[in-house]
Amino acid sequence: MFTTRPTLQGTFGMVSSTHWLASQSAMAVLESGGNAYDAAVAGAFVLHVVEPHLNGPAGEVPILLAPAGGEVRVLCGQGVAPAGATVAYYRGLGLDLVPGTGPLAAAVPGAFDAWMLLLRDHGTKSLDDVLAYAIGYAEHGHAPVERVGETVETVRELFETEWTSSADVYLPGGRAPRPGELFANPTLAATWKRLLAETAGAGDREARIDAAREVWRTGFIAEALTRQAARPTKDTSGERHTGTLTAADLAGWSAAYEAPATYDWNGWTVCKPGPWSQGPVLLQQLALLPPELPPYGSARYVHLLVENCKLAMADREAWYGDATDVPLDDLLSDAYNTPRRALVGERAENDLRPGSPGGRTPRLCAHARVAAAAQEGFDALGVGEPTVAKSPASPVPGEPEILADGNTRGDTCHLDVVDRWGNMVSATPSGGWLQSNPVVPELGFPLGTRLQMTWLEDGLPNSLTPGRRPRTTLTPSIALRDGVPVMAFGTPGGDQQDQWQLHFFLAVALRGPVRGGLDLQGAIDAPNWHNDSFPGSFYPRGMRPGSVTVESRTDPAVVAELRRRGHDVTVGGPWSEGRLCAVARDPETGVLSAAANPRGMQGYAVGR
């Protein structure tokens, strides 16, 4: 099979990420004796610098980790809604949806503390060691990818007239970042250097990391974040609002470990974050698969996966959230999925059809019913996270446009690492985008906007609720074979993440090996697709019932058959669906492998 690149193989260490500088920085940490967790932290902070339109320190990150010889764990870096973030308060402002930008959409920032906790508990390197790469690129500059400047141009007017602290960083001298020219963020570099200086006398490695966490929660960083949240800021509603984030919210939250959600399929065990993410959607799609699958890549195969996805996403809308009563065991049970499986017929189904796990009655939010009827506010090809939403009534510029070749903008990052000892990590950093909130002038990065994923309607699993995590789309994966961690993988892509990851996983699991190992690159390169037959997770929460978007490399006969079955097929660019990363380890031979997505031409795997 033709692939754009080889699947890398070696024995020392492997890294795959959505930007080559992050991949190589993480590899440099492995080369210096660090383990997978040291490398992941260093790579993550580089991603904040080189992909600021896709993630930032005040965003969020779910992390899956599989220590050599240990159990897979989830490290949750998704912050909660502030104490003042209630449905009644937002409704009192005249809002029907949480804005897609601005401080009202800011949850408690979660990414920084999660990375620090990972470094403290599982890493070996010092704070100086892992931050050195990010500080270097922020202080001395890097040659930015095209998308950074393109994204800045979409919000130029906003930056110049309203978010002037962002213009100071991203429009120096009135010029957006350009490829081939060094672009620096000296304010961000100064933030990390001050953090290192303030914690230098804290004690040993672990004590110093804890000191850094306290600076974030209660020190100069926390003070700057809360000042920013209190500044009136124009958002996607067209009005200026202040946020609800306070010093007490920052001081009272920390990242935490928890058990993953899992599902066993054909000798594999797939591990995901719990239903506060959309991770179990992938597990539900596996549970819906019949014993015998149609031929891989056929129209029947794509039809089956699209229809199964619709069922799983309907359950996401009805049941997922940061709650103790999510019926996940029932949702993944044979008793539940056997009759659900029978709902998939020969024709495309357009209605949202959540099930009744354990006999419970499903409830969809009012917006889902309105969106299904109106089908408004949606760009079929604009896959990913619309970090600056288009709204005809809003003065805020629209989301980054689709390029002429059909490729779409990114929205998130991903990072996978496996080391020579067998430690494995998969993480999907996101939020805190340069186009989500004004840059905090003292820090060089903005607040996030993850609260836009909650509903302003009481009584739902994902209602805006103080102290609860908004249901995130971020969903890294680790797969075990016969109980042993074998593969870490994931992708950016908002609501599409667990669609693209399922296609990738099945391609690995169903097709033959390459060079005696998993065909990671072939599975990544295979033509991909997605559907939008459910409410989007990002403002303005649109949907397009019956839709399927495929890459133009898809067999025309498959496209024709999908249309015959009633799917509303959009043919996108040849390389427009998915930005997958993956690493793997063969437990019998110790051979490591890695691959990265060619789409967007910035994701790379490295290793030896």
Side-chain angles (χ1 to χ4, degrees), residues 447-520:
L447 286 164
T449 54
R450 194 61 55 171
L451 293 187
Q452 67 180 291
M453 310 185 80
T454 61
W455 296 115
L456 296 183
E457 181 179 344
D458 287 318
L460 298 167
N462 193 33
S463 299
L464 179 64
T465 306
R468 283 191 177 182
R469 293 167 287 190
R471 188 199 71 213
T472 180
T473 52
L474 306 175
T475 167
S477 304
I478 286 181
L480 289 66
R481 188 76 178 168
D482 299 322
V484 180
V486 169
M487 182 168 62
F489 60 99
T491 180
D495 296 306
Q496 286 73 42
Q497 288 182 31
D498 284 311
Q499 301 186 57
W500 292 333
Q501 288 186 65
L502 176 71
H503 314 158
F504 163 81
F505 173 74
L506 291 178
V508 169
L510 296 174
R511 302 193 308 188
V514 60
R515 297 185 189 166
L518 301 175
D519 185 11
L520 302 182

Side-chain angles (χ1 to χ4, degrees), residues 269-290:
T269 299
V270 180
C271 303
K272 302 290 287 185
W276 52 268
S277 76
Q278 73 173 9
V281 162
L282 190 148
L283 307 182
Q284 283 197 252
Q285 291 176 92
L286 289 173
L288 284 164
L289 292 175

Side-chain angles (χ1 to χ4, degrees), residues 262-270 286:
T262 64
Y263 187 76
D264 296 331
W265 182 82
N266 280 14
W268 294 84
T269 299
V270 180
L286 289 173

